[in-house]
Amino acid sequence: VIYTSGSTGVPKGVMVEHACIYNYVAAITDKMHFRRDYTFGLISTLAADMGNTMLFPALLNGGILYVFAQESATDAELFYQANQKHRLDCLKITPSHLRALLSENTAKVLPAKLLVMGGEPLPIDMIHAIRNAGAECHIYNHYGPTECTVGSLCLNVTSSQYFFNGSIPIGRPISNTRVYILDAHG
């Protein structure tokens, strides 16, 4: 059971089969090119779906998982110090959380290889700020309801040149996933 508040703000548990989390991890490992020697940063609770994007790829790929203390995950200076000490390669974070941590040391707050943004819409101005700071990490927009085992769509924003009307698309389906776009009538 993993937990989400979804759009309601009320926590709810969602039952997810082990096969689903395995498919998710295999799909994002392939799509995001996770490597065995990567250091993954976990800044969310283990009970929430967002943390699974770092937790299981680290464990199943033989990576290193650094679990941030609450204080380090929410204080910009402590986060910066922990990132420098553990040299994170991968991090998943919401745009609003990242915005709270960003400062004139933007590039020093970001992971070395891969930044996964999820949980809420990704503002295009954040992408511009990250690129303008000289950060070299790849940036992925990652979307999906908890009921679909954390994420079901993914877009490499770093290599994407198409933003529609100033917004960033949520991406294409991960492996073994179908996505249906429905109107108000289903």
Side-chain angles (χ1 to χ4, degrees), residues 126-147:
M126 181 169 285
I127 299 302
H128 294 309
I130 292 168
R131 287 180 174 165
N132 291 338
E136 296 182 13
C137 60
H138 287 275
I139 306 165
Y140 281 86
N141 195 18
H142 189 54
Y143 172 81
T146 304
E147 292 80 0

Side-chain angles (χ1 to χ4, degrees), residues 34 97 118 130 144 174:
F34 289 141
H97 189 168
I130 292 168
I174 63 171

Side-chain angles (χ1 to χ4, degrees), residues 32-116:
M32 297 183 192
H33 309 289
F34 289 141
R35 291 189 16 202
R36 180 185 174 135
D37 60 341
Y38 278 3
T39 300
F40 297 79
L42 180 63
I43 59 170
S44 66
T45 174
L46 292 171
D49 63 343
M50 191 160 186
N52 291 317
T53 306
M54 295 291 101
L55 173 65
F56 290 111
L59 297 177
L60 294 173
N61 290 307
I64 299 165
L65 180 67
Y66 178 74
V67 180
F68 279 78
Q70 180 68 26
E71 300 79 33
S72 297
T74 55
D75 180 278
E77 183 59 29
L78 292 175
F79 184 85
Y80 165 73
Q81 291 172 10
N83 188 13
Q84 296 309 297
K85 179 179 179 183
H86 300 286
R87 200 59 193 128
L88 297 180
D89 292 308
C90 305
L91 178 69
K92 183 172 184 184
I93 191 168
T94 64
S96 58
H97 189 168
L98 181 61
R99 190 175 303 280
L101 296 175
L102 293 178
S103 64
E104 64 278 355
N105 293 322
T106 298
K108 294 178 182 177
V109 172
L110 298 171
K113 310 276 190 221
L114 184 67
L115 176 65
V116 183

